[in-house]
Short mmCIF file of all heavy atoms in Angstrom, two decimals:
data_model
loop_
_atom_site.label_atom_id
_atom_site.label_comp_id
_atom_site.label_asym_id
_atom_site.label_seq_id
_atom_site.Cartn_x
_atom_site.Cartn_y
_atom_site.Cartn_z
N ARG A 14 17.39 2.41 -5.66
CA ARG A 14 17.49 2.23 -7.13
C ARG A 14 18.96 2.44 -7.60
O ARG A 14 19.53 3.54 -7.26
CB ARG A 14 16.57 3.27 -7.83
CG ARG A 14 16.73 3.37 -9.33
CD ARG A 14 15.89 4.56 -9.73
NE ARG A 14 15.85 4.84 -11.31
CZ ARG A 14 16.04 5.90 -11.87
NH1 ARG A 14 16.28 6.95 -11.17
NH2 ARG A 14 16.06 6.05 -13.04
N PHE A 21 23.79 4.95 -6.20
CA PHE A 21 22.39 4.58 -5.87
C PHE A 21 21.54 5.87 -5.59
O PHE A 21 22.12 6.90 -5.19
CB PHE A 21 22.25 3.63 -4.77
CG PHE A 21 22.80 2.26 -5.04
CD1 PHE A 21 24.22 2.09 -4.82
CD2 PHE A 21 22.06 1.17 -5.36
CE1 PHE A 21 24.77 0.81 -5.12
CE2 PHE A 21 22.60 -0.02 -5.61
CZ PHE A 21 23.94 -0.23 -5.49
N ALA A 40 10.75 11.32 -1.05
CA ALA A 40 11.96 12.15 -1.19
C ALA A 40 13.15 11.16 -1.58
O ALA A 40 12.96 9.91 -1.48
CB ALA A 40 12.26 12.76 0.10
N ILE A 51 28.97 3.44 2.81
CA ILE A 51 28.02 4.21 1.97
C ILE A 51 27.91 5.69 2.45
O ILE A 51 27.81 5.89 3.55
CB ILE A 51 26.59 3.53 2.16
CG1 ILE A 51 26.56 2.01 1.81
CG2 ILE A 51 25.49 4.23 1.44
CD1 ILE A 51 25.33 1.31 2.06
N ASP A 59 12.59 16.53 -2.24
CA ASP A 59 11.30 16.04 -2.55
C ASP A 59 11.30 15.61 -4.11
O ASP A 59 11.74 16.37 -4.90
CB ASP A 59 10.22 17.03 -2.33
CG ASP A 59 9.93 17.14 -0.91
OD1 ASP A 59 10.43 16.37 -0.08
OD2 ASP A 59 9.27 18.21 -0.54
N TRP A 61 8.21 13.89 -5.08
CA TRP A 61 6.82 14.01 -5.36
C TRP A 61 6.09 14.18 -4.11
O TRP A 61 6.46 13.75 -3.07
CB TRP A 61 6.29 12.72 -6.07
CG TRP A 61 4.87 12.72 -6.27
CD1 TRP A 61 4.13 13.34 -7.38
CD2 TRP A 61 3.82 12.05 -5.49
NE1 TRP A 61 2.83 13.03 -7.21
CE2 TRP A 61 2.53 12.24 -6.10
CE3 TRP A 61 3.87 11.26 -4.37
CZ2 TRP A 61 1.36 11.77 -5.59
CZ3 TRP A 61 2.67 10.75 -3.75
CH2 TRP A 61 1.48 11.00 -4.43
N TYR A 106 -15.86 7.69 8.35
CA TYR A 106 -14.98 8.24 9.43
C TYR A 106 -14.61 9.71 9.05
O TYR A 106 -13.96 10.43 9.92
CB TYR A 106 -13.70 7.40 9.66
CG TYR A 106 -14.15 6.03 10.19
CD1 TYR A 106 -14.05 4.90 9.36
CD2 TYR A 106 -14.53 5.82 11.46
CE1 TYR A 106 -14.40 3.69 9.76
CE2 TYR A 106 -14.88 4.62 12.01
CZ TYR A 106 -14.82 3.42 11.05
OH TYR A 106 -15.17 2.29 11.55
N ASP A 107 -15.03 10.17 7.99
CA ASP A 107 -14.88 11.68 7.60
C ASP A 107 -15.94 11.89 6.59
O ASP A 107 -16.33 10.98 5.74
CB ASP A 107 -13.53 12.01 7.07
CG ASP A 107 -13.34 13.46 6.84
OD1 ASP A 107 -12.94 14.22 7.86
OD2 ASP A 107 -13.66 13.99 5.69
N GLY A 120 -5.66 7.34 -1.54
CA GLY A 120 -6.60 6.23 -2.03
C GLY A 120 -6.12 5.75 -3.42
O GLY A 120 -7.08 5.12 -4.08
N PHE A 135 -2.28 5.40 -11.33
CA PHE A 135 -2.11 4.12 -11.96
C PHE A 135 -3.32 3.23 -11.62
O PHE A 135 -3.88 2.49 -12.49
CB PHE A 135 -0.83 3.42 -11.44
CG PHE A 135 -0.53 2.06 -12.09
CD1 PHE A 135 0.17 2.07 -13.33
CD2 PHE A 135 -1.02 0.87 -11.52
CE1 PHE A 135 0.45 0.82 -13.93
CE2 PHE A 135 -0.68 -0.29 -12.17
CZ PHE A 135 0.00 -0.35 -13.35
N GLY A 151 6.33 -9.75 -14.33
CA GLY A 151 5.81 -8.45 -14.59
C GLY A 151 4.42 -8.09 -13.92
O GLY A 151 4.07 -6.88 -13.87
N TRP A 154 1.24 -7.10 -7.70
CA TRP A 154 0.40 -7.66 -6.58
C TRP A 154 0.34 -6.56 -5.47
O TRP A 154 1.45 -6.03 -5.07
CB TRP A 154 0.88 -8.83 -6.02
CG TRP A 154 0.79 -10.01 -7.03
CD1 TRP A 154 1.79 -10.54 -7.85
CD2 TRP A 154 -0.37 -10.86 -7.31
NE1 TRP A 154 1.30 -11.63 -8.60
CE2 TRP A 154 -0.09 -11.79 -8.29
CE3 TRP A 154 -1.77 -10.77 -6.87
CZ2 TRP A 154 -0.97 -12.69 -8.77
CZ3 TRP A 154 -2.54 -11.80 -7.31
CH2 TRP A 154 -2.21 -12.65 -8.32
N THR A 156 -1.41 -5.69 -1.51
CA THR A 156 -2.05 -6.17 -0.34
C THR A 156 -2.49 -4.96 0.45
O THR A 156 -1.73 -4.05 0.55
CB THR A 156 -1.14 -7.12 0.55
OG1 THR A 156 0.02 -6.41 0.92
CG2 THR A 156 -0.79 -8.40 -0.27
N PRO A 160 -11.56 -2.83 6.04
CA PRO A 160 -12.04 -2.51 7.45
C PRO A 160 -12.19 -3.78 8.12
O PRO A 160 -11.38 -4.77 7.92
CB PRO A 160 -13.48 -1.85 7.12
CG PRO A 160 -13.83 -2.52 5.79
CD PRO A 160 -12.62 -2.74 5.04
N GLY A 173 -7.25 0.43 -13.25
CA GLY A 173 -8.24 -0.34 -12.48
C GLY A 173 -8.79 0.45 -11.26
O GLY A 173 -8.05 1.26 -10.67
N GLY A 176 -12.64 -0.30 -5.95
CA GLY A 176 -13.92 -0.21 -5.24
C GLY A 176 -14.06 0.50 -3.89
O GLY A 176 -15.11 0.80 -3.45
N GLY A 183 -15.44 -6.38 4.01
CA GLY A 183 -15.34 -6.24 5.44
C GLY A 183 -16.61 -5.54 5.99
O GLY A 183 -17.56 -5.06 5.18
N MET A 184 -16.57 -5.09 7.25
CA MET A 184 -17.65 -4.48 7.88
C MET A 184 -17.02 -3.20 8.55
O MET A 184 -15.89 -2.89 8.43
CB MET A 184 -18.22 -5.42 9.04
CG MET A 184 -18.74 -6.73 8.41
SD MET A 184 -19.52 -7.74 9.65
CE MET A 184 -21.12 -7.03 9.72
N PRO A 194 -21.53 0.90 5.62
CA PRO A 194 -22.67 1.52 5.24
C PRO A 194 -22.69 1.98 3.84
O PRO A 194 -23.74 2.19 3.24
CB PRO A 194 -22.69 2.76 6.26
CG PRO A 194 -21.33 2.97 6.70
CD PRO A 194 -20.70 1.60 6.74
N VAL A 224 8.69 -15.38 -3.73
CA VAL A 224 9.82 -16.17 -3.37
C VAL A 224 10.60 -16.60 -4.47
O VAL A 224 10.12 -17.18 -5.48
CB VAL A 224 9.36 -17.43 -2.52
CG1 VAL A 224 10.58 -18.22 -2.04
CG2 VAL A 224 8.44 -17.03 -1.32
N VAL A 262 1.86 -20.41 7.59
CA VAL A 262 2.99 -20.95 8.24
C VAL A 262 3.26 -20.20 9.50
O VAL A 262 3.63 -18.97 9.49
CB VAL A 262 4.31 -20.89 7.29
CG1 VAL A 262 5.52 -21.39 7.95
CG2 VAL A 262 4.03 -21.55 5.95
N ALA A 263 2.99 -20.87 10.64
CA ALA A 263 3.04 -20.11 11.91
C ALA A 263 4.48 -19.76 12.24
O ALA A 263 5.44 -20.52 12.03
CB ALA A 263 2.48 -21.11 12.95
#
Side-chain angles (χ1 to χ4, degrees):
R14 172 189 181 227
F21 294 83
I51 301 173
D59 286 349
W61 176 79
Y106 295 105
D107 187 89
F135 186 86
W154 295 94
T156 55
M184 305 181 79
V224 182
V262 178

